[in-house]
Amino acid sequence: MSETTSTIIWTEIDEAPALATYSFLPIVQAFVKGTGVSVEKWDISLAGRIIANFPEHLTGAQRIPDYLSQLGELTHKPEANIIKLPNISASIPQLKEAIKELQAKGYAVPDYPEAPKNEAEQAIQARYAKVLGSAVNPVLREGNADRRSPLSVKAFSKKHPHKLGPWSADSKCHVAHMTGGDFYGSENSLTISKAAEVRYEFVAADGSTTVLRRQMPVIEGEILDTSVMHVGALRTFYEEQMAQARAEGLLLSLHLKATMMKVSDPVMFGHAVSVFFKDVFAKHAETFTGLGVNPNFGLGDLYAKIQGLPAEQRAEIEADIKAAYAARPALAMVDSDRGITNLHVPSDIIVDASMPVVVRESGQMWGPDGKLHDTKALIPDRCYATTYKTIIEDCKRHGAFDPATMGSVPNVGLMAQKAEEYGSHDKTFIAPAAGAIRVVVESTGEILLAQQVEAGDIFRSCQTKDVAVRDWVKLAVRRAKATGAPAVFWLDRQRAHDAQIIAKVERYLKEHDTAGLDIRILAPVDAMTFSLERIRKGLDTISVTGNVLRDYLTDLFPILEIGTSAKMLSVVPLLAGGGLFETGAGGSAPKHVQQFQKEGYLRWDSLGEFSALTASLEHIGATFGNPRAALLAETLDQAIGKFLDGNKSPARKVGQIDNRGSHFYLAMYWAEALAAQSKDAALKARFAGVAQQLAANEARINEELIGAQGRPVDMGGYYRPDPVKTAAAMRPSPTLNAIIDALA
């Protein structure tokens, strides 16, 4: 990065937002040329991360830099300016699919060893662990999150409200959670009084000790937690709820986070699979062991692994699976036409994306018959299940929300320096036997925390740095002052971790002038109730939450308010002074790619990218005194307003505007705004002709863009698309390309 040019790093990621980048990024790069701003694309896609982690297996031409590590280093510098699009938080089945695709393309990356047989395979599995789950976010999020709906988006949603399903007081939908034996009930926590190195160790019933993690540094003032999910209690919970669902005639659905929480939640998912199909797993245990069947990978993996069996043996297993379906409650479906259930793939139904849809769809999910039915939603752990329970009960009492009148719940999220990274890292373990897992100071042998475990129990631990909490409190006060809305810390005094956080919040609030502000600390259930009461009155309430609730609420409320979380603006002021600008959620991205491949229509909405780019340019303008960057941001914001008023977001069907058409209109309106402004004569002159050309060729460009729809698209790959084929598919208008390329 030069002293005179500010560089925006645009992350190259996966699925629908990656496709959109092929169309939108050339426009962005053309518009910022000559303004002291440049935009570079760095590959942190799932496939890119795999390639970067195994350079010695590849040719020189195949290797790429480890951009994720480089971005991690950049976040510690004041010049950091990163636009982060949604990426795949890979489950093991997704990882294996990506590996298979890369190998087919000639990349000699190793297979993923599900059950390592030697040290070499253990080393390969450990390297792949860096790619799995929430591999990207903890690296980039060196700051806390300010996530909210842009005013223009909220205003458009009120003028053009989306439809929410009606609710009845007679709805049988409900959330079922454990009442004991879960993470919530077992959690213990402390604040570190002195910097040290600690180890995690397992002590068996006979006193023998196995070290699980060595020499982990802890620093003064940080919070350290441990908790355990007791799988015996979990399996009992599943069995009881499955029986109740069948007795009540309810659809059964499971809602976990087997992507971000890549160690803990796939195991919890696997227990649901093996309980639901317990007779199948018992009868065919020897066969399944020989095949390497792992319920953590879902029913889909089981079906895949029995394909090589003799026809008669395979038919017997499939018949037993059908018998289990008949004896159990109907399962919520991912794709009822193809028979893909809630238990097929762990990454198919993710709680933060799936539960808002339950609320939106009147407490219902799709059943095997292709119809909507009331669902029993299983969310085993009590830490946050109760918040979903509260909103469903509220809808039963008061009916559906009204997007035309409802208020907003923006979020200030604690996530800096890997705060509250539960279940997804090297401090989550599966107990090998009965005993205890302890956190011990290396130098003194002092036991800081300990948990009693049985074989198979899930132990998790997390750290939360003091500097992250202090910055989080500051950001919450800043947002409360800027908006005048109440700021509510969603913290439970009865929970061990939250009690430690509350002590810090109460101390650090005293560092700020909070006169006239409404700042509260409420347990999550009370915070949800308070926020819902205000929403129904059209009032806004700032949610100030920890990392996991940040993830959940910033999907839940936007999906209800504006129809999607993809349009949210997420600004992360980095602790070192730079900025990370996130573009919304990507839960719908796989379905959009499937539609694009099938019929050449991309429904992905890039409004999140538009808003993030605006904030990124504003940051450059304000931080580095670049008036042209500020002007680009100002005019882009005007263009977004016109874009929304003109309803130029992607529609739904072939023959209508799609993602590529939305980019064209954003470009045209942005050029018009730059041509109309009077602050910079050179930019005015530069874009006057561009605006005229785009407007004059509107009909032709639309004809070329829509004419490209309606037929299958060969992207040359899913996880690693062919760049030439994909660029041709995403830039199918020669007229538009000529105008943009001439500008660049």
Side-chain angles (χ1 to χ4, degrees), residues 14-17 19 94 97 334-335 338 340 345 347-348 587-604 652 654 711-715 717-719:
D14 311 282
E15 298 177 324
L19 292 179
Q94 287 173 308
E97 289 173 2
V334 172
D335 188 333
R338 296 167 54 211
I340 307 299
V345 181
S347 56
D348 269 352
S588 60
K591 291 183 178 179
H592 293 333
V593 178
Q594 292 163 14
Q595 183 182 12
F596 184 66
Q597 290 175 314
K598 182 179 179 181
E599 55 189 22
Y601 184 91
L602 185 61
R603 193 178 158 192
W604 176 258
R652 302 177 70 90
V654 170
R711 52 186 176 272
V713 174
D714 176 13
M715 296 161 39
Y718 185 90
Y719 294 97

Side-chain angles (χ1 to χ4, degrees), residues 357-418:
V357 175
V358 172
V359 179
R360 186 185 68 195
E361 299 287 358
S362 314
Q364 300 179 322
M365 295 186 75
W366 294 100
D369 59 359
K371 298 179 181 178
L372 287 167
H373 300 275
D374 286 353
T375 187
K376 176 190 281 286
L378 304 186
I379 308 176
D381 182 54
R382 282 174 291 167
C383 285
Y384 304 119
T386 53
T387 60
Y388 291 116
K389 189 173 187 177
T390 301
I391 193 169
I392 284 175
E393 293 303 316
D394 181 89
C395 288
K396 289 182 185 180
R397 286 193 301 271
H398 302 294
F401 300 97
D402 182 358
T405 59
M406 68 189 293
S408 292
V409 183
N411 182 263
V412 174
L414 172 62
M415 64 180 195
Q417 299 192 343
K418 303 181 182 181

Side-chain angles (χ1 to χ4, degrees), residues 217-274:
V218 292
I219 61 175
E220 182 180 347
E222 79 170 291
I223 297 167
L224 186 67
D225 308 333
T226 72
S227 59
V228 173
M229 171 62 72
H230 296 284
V231 298
L234 176 67
R235 292 180 69 86
T236 298
F237 164 76
Y238 282 148
E239 185 62 57
E240 291 174 350
Q241 296 304 319
M242 288 171 188
Q244 288 180 18
R246 181 170 173 81
E248 297 168 8
L250 286 173
L251 203 64
L252 184 77
S253 58
L254 177 66
H255 304 264
L256 294 168
K257 184 96 173 178
T259 50
M260 184 175 79
M261 298 178 181
K262 65 185 179 184
V263 179
S264 59
D265 284 31
V267 176
M268 294 164 66
F269 178 89
H271 282 293
V273 173
S274 60

Side-chain angles (χ1 to χ4, degrees), residues 51 86 157 160 184 193 520 567 576 612 618 630 644:
I51 292 168
S157 182
H160 306 278
Y184 178 91
S193 59
R520 309 181 184 206
K567 298 179 181 180
E618 285 175 345
L644 289 169

Side-chain angles (χ1 to χ4, degrees), residues 620-637:
I620 292 172
T623 305
F624 301 102
N626 183 331
R628 284 192 160 178
L631 184 57
L632 285 170
E634 179 185 329
T635 50
L636 178 54
D637 187 56

Side-chain angles (χ1 to χ4, degrees), residues 409-529:
V409 183
N411 182 263
V412 174
L414 172 62
M415 64 180 195
Q417 299 192 343
K418 303 181 182 181
E420 298 185 359
E421 283 288 336
Y422 292 111
S424 60
H425 45 62
D426 54 2
K427 295 186 291 296
T428 302
F429 310 105
I430 309 304
I437 296 179
R438 311 188 304 200
V439 184
V440 181
V441 178
E442 293 272 21
S443 60
T444 65
E446 178 189 1
I447 299 171
L448 295 180
L449 296 166
Q451 294 283 354
Q452 293 299 123
V453 293
E454 298 293 330
D457 284 353
I458 306 166
F459 171 98
R460 74 181 190 189
S461 175
C462 81
Q463 298 165 271
T464 305
K465 299 288 192 295
D466 181 73
V467 66
V469 178
R470 194 171 195 166
D471 180 77
W472 177 55
V473 172
K474 180 177 71 174
L475 185 57
V477 172
R478 184 193 308 167
R479 291 306 301 160
K481 287 182 177 179
T483 63
V488 180
F489 287 84
W490 295 45
L491 296 168
D492 183 355
R493 294 182 187 274
Q494 304 306 310
R495 183 180 166 193
H497 167 80
D498 284 10
Q500 300 289 331
I501 294 284
I502 288 170
K504 290 181 179 293
V505 169
E506 290 177 336
R507 180 162 71 251
Y508 292 139
L509 279 173
K510 294 176 183 177
E511 297 179 350
H512 303 278
D513 178 8
T514 59
L517 302 181
D518 184 348
I519 297 178
R520 309 181 184 206
I521 299 174
L522 298 176
V525 167
D526 297 327
M528 177 65 83
T529 300

Side-chain angles (χ1 to χ4, degrees), residues 539-613:
L539 302 173
D540 299 344
T541 312
I542 301 168
S543 60
V544 189
T545 71
N547 200 356
V548 178
L549 256 182
R550 171 204 60 79
D551 207 34
Y552 294 177
L553 298 187
T554 55
D555 265 328
L556 175 64
F557 287 114
I559 287 173
L560 300 178
E561 293 175 31
I562 60 177
T564 176
S565 57
K567 298 179 181 180
M568 292 291 283
L569 173 63
S570 182
V571 177
V572 182
L574 298 172
L575 297 178
L580 173 68
F581 307 92
E582 300 192 54
T583 66
S588 60
K591 291 183 178 179
H592 293 333
V593 178
Q594 292 163 14
Q595 183 182 12
F596 184 66
Q597 290 175 314
K598 182 179 179 181
E599 55 189 22
Y601 184 91
L602 185 61
R603 193 178 158 192
W604 176 258
D605 192 334
S606 290
L607 189 59
E609 291 101 285
F610 303 163
S611 298
L613 178 59

